[in-house]
Amino acid sequence: MTAQQPSARFTGDANPYGGGDPYADYRTADFPFTQYANLADRQLGAGVVAANDEFFAQRENLLVPGAAEFDPEHFGHKGKVMDGWETRRRRGASAEHPWPTAEDHDWALIRLGAPGVVRGIVVDTAHFRGNYPQAVSVEGASVPGSPSSEELLADDVKWTTLVPRTAVGGHAANGFEVSVEQCFTHLRVRQHPDGGIARLRVHGEVVPDPRWLSVLGTFDVVALENGGCAESASNLFYSPASNTIQPGRSRKMDDGWETRRRRDQGNDWISYRLTGQSEIRAIEIDTAYLKGNSAGWASVSVKDAGAGDGAATGEWREILPRTRLQPDTNHRFVLDTPAVGTHARVDIFPDGGISRLRLFGSLTREGAARLAARHQELGG
């Protein structure tokens, strides 16, 4: 099954830049699949392996975090300097046929930060107003190990269409829902026939390798790279809940999760789906770079839906009681008794934020069996 049509259709040129806020006439929409993590996040380990052309702007810009920037006065020896990936104009074979053919295109190879099922893709052409591609297409492949660009382009690699060749618009977030139930490690993005793309976002669900987790033994069962997922949160005013399960320690304040100030007697929280049914033995709650806005207290609870993939049922069971937190500090807790669950929840009191949550443990026998079966089913 191939991808659906774009969630929102943006075609044609944007207006030439007329001064002021360059995003004032930017075309975008709310895409439901952005609830999933960005599998093409550099923080996860994603990268742009290769591109056939990057004459005007380098391919690595595709995965830069944050919105693309625009400086109308910034020119270099090759022309306008753009914050994105931009190729030269294609030409035909002769004076009689000066136009590119229907098959002409430029391409870039993307290594996902973690293997996973792609739920949606955003091809962002911000600031490419008259120099964006006429159309784009995206394919996915699953190649084990750390293949080179030559190995990825070999004839024996099977590429599956995720986004068929589709017209896109300039200075717009072109979003595509994807309905291919398969695990991918790499993407090939094509722009037809040439032009520029500012950013690429690949939203989906991580599918970890059960053999790797088995060798590790004890690992972080809520980590994004291990298949954990932030399912819902009480407040996302300043930053996404998924920041709390990103790799590594937070490097600045907005690299964690921070809520708006509460003016009631409630509290804020995040709920997570774990890698699978797990036995949790230790907890870390980090408030790095949250100094005057760290949560005052926190508690952690779990619930067990068995080893199934459905929503958690039953009651939350507290495994770490409400505990005082210090600003800009990593807090470690060893549980007296291991806790079994498929889902976890961190409650902070009354508001504020945390930068990371780590739940160290291992999959139960049933949880490991379920993960192995899903990995095989998705072709991982």
Side-chain angles (χ1 to χ4, degrees):
M1 185 185 301
T2 57
Q4 301 171 4
Q5 288 300 306
S7 302
R9 293 298 301 272
F10 302 113
T11 56
D13 295 351
N15 292 325
Y17 175 64
D21 179 5
Y23 274 104
D25 59 342
Y26 177 68
R27 295 176 286 178
T28 188
D30 291 328
F31 303 116
F33 54 75
T34 56
Q35 65 178 299
Y36 297 101
N38 178 21
L39 302 180
D41 190 337
R42 287 284 302 174
Q43 197 168 354
L44 262 183
V48 186
V49 177
N52 71 306
D53 187 292
E54 46 188 327
F55 184 87
F56 286 114
Q58 60 191 22
R59 65 184 190 263
E60 286 83 2
N61 288 337
L62 284 171
L63 306 188
V64 170
E69 299 180 356
F70 181 71
D71 181 353
E73 304 298 327
H74 193 188
F75 287 83
H77 292 294
K78 293 182 179 180
K80 181 73 185 71
V81 176
M82 297 294 289
D83 184 9
W85 168 50
E86 185 181 5
T87 65
R88 72 192 78 197
R89 298 183 188 225
R90 283 183 170 269
R91 296 293 185 242
S94 66
E96 291 73 26
H97 299 280
W99 310 279
T101 70
E103 291 74 32
D104 282 344
H105 66 274
D106 292 317
W107 54 263
L109 296 176
I110 312 297
R111 180 188 66 246
L112 298 180
V117 177
V118 178
R119 300 301 182 192
I121 296 172
V122 177
V123 178
D124 190 345
T125 57
H127 315 305
F128 290 95
R129 294 169 178 268
N131 52 347
Y132 59 94
Q134 181 183 29
V136 300
S137 59
V138 184
E139 302 161 288
S142 183
V143 183
S146 304
S148 65
S149 58
E150 292 78 14
E151 291 169 325
L152 289 170
L153 295 172
D155 293 339
D156 60 344
V157 174
K158 178 185 177 182
W159 291 92
T160 300
T161 299
L162 304 183
V163 177
R165 181 170 175 167
T166 307
V168 295
H171 197 45
N174 300 277
F176 304 86
E177 291 186 20
V178 177
S179 53
V180 180
E181 286 295 320
Q182 187 177 336
C183 182
F184 296 104
T185 60
H186 294 78
L187 300 187
R188 179 164 56 190
V189 179
R190 302 178 193 255
Q191 50 177 339
H192 310 266
D194 54 36
I197 299 171
R199 296 288 188 267
L200 179 75
R201 303 296 185 239
V202 183
H203 298 278
E205 299 177 75
V206 174
V207 180
D209 185 344
R211 294 167 299 177
W212 177 254
L213 298 182
S214 176
V215 169
L216 292 180
T218 296
F219 60 93
D220 182 0
V221 299
V222 75
L224 183 60
E225 61 188 322
N226 295 330
C229 172
E231 290 194 316
S232 59
S234 60
N235 188 275
L236 302 173
F237 189 84
Y238 286 112
S239 45
S242 59
N243 279 358
T244 60
I245 54 176
Q246 287 277 8
R249 295 198 71 198
S250 175
R251 296 181 179 180
K252 51 193 175 76
M253 189 176 72
D254 65 352
D255 192 23
W257 171 60
E258 181 188 358
T259 71
R260 67 192 310 163
R261 301 187 188 211
R262 296 190 75 98
R263 302 306 187 195
D264 58 20
Q265 299 301 304
N267 74 283
D268 289 313
W269 51 267
I270 305 174
S271 64
Y272 306 88
R273 185 182 71 243
L274 307 182
T275 305
Q277 188 185 62
S278 304
E279 187 176 80
I280 301 166
R281 295 185 287 274
I283 298 170
E284 279 191 7
I285 301 175
D286 196 353
T287 59
Y289 291 96
L290 294 163
K291 299 182 178 181
N293 47 1
S294 167
W297 293 262
S299 65
V300 177
S301 304
V302 299
K303 65 166 59 172
D304 187 21
D309 297 325
T313 58
E315 299 296 323
W316 289 106
R317 180 169 62 89
E318 192 173 72
I319 60 174
L320 178 71
R322 192 179 305 186
T323 302
R324 188 75 170 93
L325 300 181
Q326 298 299 323
D328 196 26
T329 301
N330 193 24
H331 309 76
R332 291 179 171 177
F333 310 94
V334 176
L335 301 183
D336 293 333
T337 304
V340 174
T342 56
H343 295 70
R345 170 174 165 142
V346 60
D347 284 83
I348 62 171
F349 303 89
D351 57 18
I354 61 173
S355 61
R356 296 291 187 269
L357 174 71
R358 306 296 188 207
L359 303 177
F360 294 102
S362 54
L363 293 173
T364 64
R365 180 176 298 180
E366 191 174 356
R370 285 274 185 168
L371 180 61
R374 182 167 185 259
H375 188 263
Q376 184 175 17
E377 178 185 349
L378 295 172

